[in-house]
Amino acid sequence: MTQDHQADENRAGKPAQQVPWLEWLAAGIGSLLVLGVFTVIGWQALNGSTPPAITVTVDTVAPVEGGYRILFRALNRADEAAAQVEIAGTVSTDGGEEVSRVVLDYVPGHSERHGGLFFTRDPRGGSLAVRATGFVAP
Amino acid sequence: MPNERRNLEPGSGFLLKAKLSWSAVRVGPANEVTVTSERYAIGLARAFGGAILFGLPLLMTMEMWSLGFSMGRGRLLMLMMFTLMMLVGLSYFSGFEKTFSLKEDAMDAFAAFGVGITTSALLLVTLAVITFDMSWGDMVGRVALQSVPASIGAMLGRKQLGDEQDMKAEEERKQEAGYAGELFLMVAGALFLAFNMAPTEEMVLIAFQMTPWHALALGVLSLLLLHAFVYSIGFSGQENRPEGGTFVSTFLHFTLAGYGIALLVSLYVLWSFGRTDGVAVAEIANMLVVLGFPASLGAATARLVV
């Protein structure tokens, strides 16, 4: 420790070494991070302004206690985020139609959110359609 | 060993040359004081502490997460540049390191921003607010917005968590900067407190609930508290009344100016978060008064915190 200090002391005589290396490192890493964040956001600012477009894909259909459960993914292919996205699933069988709905709080741009719907009729026994029915701007 | 102890000794009074002769804080040719890496590391550790402490309330605020990806990208970029400028100014008055030139203030500002971004990213990942199946834009947006309070916290960390304060030097700087410096500190204080409240839905909800009479009462209360905080209560950051200044001139120069700053900063922050888009002027005025309340308290107490 003492030797380190003396080495420091000797070097400190030269004005070029007055700023400690750790300060350069911290400021350097900070500048890089700031530059990176600014670049990503700036790129989005210049390129991203398409309103939400949400597509829903069904992943699995499985029987659960008291009915059937489907798991889906809602993908927002556009730049802007959508809030309160309503997802409606319709099962049509010979016996009639059954509609289940769920609301996703947010689906950010170019992102997906996962969710599920419950039905009493077996979706595999008829036709299943799941789609986003609406959203509000956040 | 005794020499080394002195090296780490705080508050050597770098403006007093007499003290510098025995102090281990060294003076270079351009009268610049050098700081060792160890001391800088201590300052950096305090900066991380400050970033966590001051950033925590907003880290755990739901609206901040969604604003991170949903607020206008141009406005987010502007907010970050504004923050960077505030950091340079704050570094001048009180950073995690004593600074002597614009270059060092800028370096400190970037370091503080880096600390803010790193802290925010780590904590948001830990809290599962950020997961790696998110898109890049989403992740970066969340971290970027969160880094605003965290980096200001990093800058204030030294003052709040450190025991080695050079109050004298700080006071001298505040004296030198005069009225403009006073106004700058008010902007910084107002920004920090307004930013802590503005993301929540409650700001808008309260504005909707209030009648014009409520708003007027809150405005008057803000002004009274602002005046009382800065001039009447005998705390350490107390501003002296200008010599020969009457109550009216003091009120105009500091209290009204401070409230004006609080309202402007509130407007800027609300606009940044898109809270004013498509809203009637009367309703915006209500929101300004609501957010102006914490903002004016922030402006009034900035001198204590910074």
Side-chain angles (χ1 to χ4, degrees):
Chain A
M1 278 298 267
T2 315
Q3 277 176 351
D4 278 354
H5 266 287
Q6 256 145 21
D8 258 359
E9 213 105 84
N10 292 339
R11 270 182 283 139
K14 296 169 199 163
Q17 313 224 328
Q18 275 173 358
V19 179
W21 62 269
L22 188 61
E23 187 174 350
W24 282 114
L25 187 70
I29 292 174
S31 319
L32 283 180
L33 286 174
V34 171
L35 197 70
V37 168
F38 275 40
T39 310
V40 172
I41 298 172
W43 189 86
Q44 284 182 301
L46 294 176
N47 294 290
S49 57
T50 50
I54 294 164
T55 52
V56 183
T57 46
V58 176
D59 285 332
T60 62
V61 181
V64 290
E65 206 182 305
Y68 300 87
R69 178 199 63 207
I70 67 142
L71 295 179
F72 66 84
R73 265 180 301 163
L75 173 65
N76 183 357
R77 292 181 190 277
D79 302 307
E80 286 178 2
Q84 291 171 44
V85 180
E86 194 195 54
I87 308 290
T90 311
V91 173
S92 315
T93 55
D94 298 336
E97 251 187 22
E98 183 183 358
V99 180
S100 296
R101 294 170 204 277
V102 68
V103 175
L104 302 172
D105 281 343
Y106 290 99
V107 184
H110 301 290
S111 302
E112 58 180 26
R113 284 284 182 273
H114 299 255
L117 290 169
F118 295 110
F119 296 97
T120 53
R121 295 162 199 256
D122 187 353
R124 292 166 298 187
S127 74
L128 169 68
V130 186
R131 65 184 189 94
T133 54
F135 69 91
V136 295
Chain B
M1 229 18 218
N3 258 335
E4 199 176 312
R5 281 293 317 155
R6 253 186 242 156
N7 250 346
L8 297 168
E9 214 153 55
S12 310
F14 65 95
L15 288 173
L16 302 174
K17 284 188 175 149
K19 277 194 175 179
L20 283 171
S21 59
W22 59 262
S23 159
V25 175
R26 297 173 294 270
V27 181
N31 215 26
E32 281 187 18
V33 178
T34 55
V35 188
T36 60
S37 280
E38 293 105 284
R39 286 189 62 151
Y40 190 81
I42 295 171
L44 210 53
R46 292 199 178 114
F48 274 103
I52 295 173
L53 198 61
F54 287 90
L56 209 51
L58 283 177
L59 265 166
M60 297 186 168
T61 299
M62 194 172 68
E63 287 89 344
M64 280 291 278
W65 313 335
S66 48
L67 280 169
F69 59 76
S70 68
M71 73 185 277
R73 298 295 94 173
R75 295 182 194 190
L76 180 55
L77 206 58
M78 250 181 86
L79 187 65
M80 300 205 57
M81 285 175 182
F82 186 63
T83 308
L84 202 55
M85 286 191 303
M86 297 306 289
L87 287 177
V88 175
L90 281 175
S91 165
Y92 177 78
F93 288 108
S94 138
F96 51 85
E97 200 211 3
K98 291 169 198 151
T99 52
F100 304 95
S101 65
L102 183 64
K103 185 193 90 181
E104 287 205 33
D105 283 329
M107 280 177 73
D108 259 15
F110 277 108
F113 223 133
V115 168
I117 290 174
T118 312
T119 312
S120 306
L122 286 176
L123 284 176
L124 286 175
V125 168
T126 310
L127 296 175
V129 173
I130 289 180
T131 51
F132 293 103
D133 57 355
M134 288 176 176
S135 68
W136 271 96
D138 188 354
M139 285 195 259
V140 172
R142 287 174 197 233
V143 172
L145 185 59
Q146 197 63 59
S147 72
V148 172
S151 58
I152 295 177
M155 194 54 99
L156 300 181
R158 183 195 72 100
K159 164 84 183 238
Q160 293 306 310
L161 305 177
D163 53 352
E164 53 175 83
Q165 292 175 27
D166 202 332
M167 297 301 288
K168 209 173 215 164
E170 265 180 37
E171 278 311 306
E172 269 178 57
R173 290 204 159 176
K174 286 173 190 171
Q175 293 287 329
E176 274 170 32
Y179 188 59
E182 198 71 50
L183 293 185
F184 169 80
L185 286 181
M186 283 187 171
V187 173
L191 177 72
F192 187 73
L193 242 72
F195 199 90
N196 265 279
M197 314 284 166
T200 62
E201 298 279 349
E202 282 84 344
M203 285 304 120
V204 179
L205 184 66
I206 292 172
F208 287 165
Q209 285 178 350
M210 285 186 1
T211 64
W213 295 110
H214 286 103
L216 279 177
L218 188 61
V220 171
L221 184 66
S222 307
L223 273 170
L224 284 178
L225 280 177
L226 183 55
H227 196 77
F229 257 91
V230 183
Y231 300 101
S232 308
I233 304 170
F235 50 51
S236 69
Q238 189 181 4
E239 174 60 35
N240 293 319
R241 258 181 217 193
E243 285 298 317
T246 60
F247 172 81
V248 175
S249 82
T250 312
F251 188 79
L252 287 176
H253 269 81
F254 290 95
T255 309
L256 270 188
Y259 195 56
I261 284 173
L263 291 182
L264 279 178
V265 169
S266 301
L267 179 62
Y268 175 62
V269 173
L270 286 171
W271 174 81
S272 289
F273 291 152
R275 296 271 193 244
T276 56
D277 296 0
V279 178
V281 177
E283 213 50 72
I284 292 178
N286 262 1
M287 287 186 212
L288 285 188
V289 173
V290 172
L291 193 57
F293 182 59
S296 59
L297 291 185
T301 52
R303 248 177 170 265
L304 292 182
V305 182
V306 176

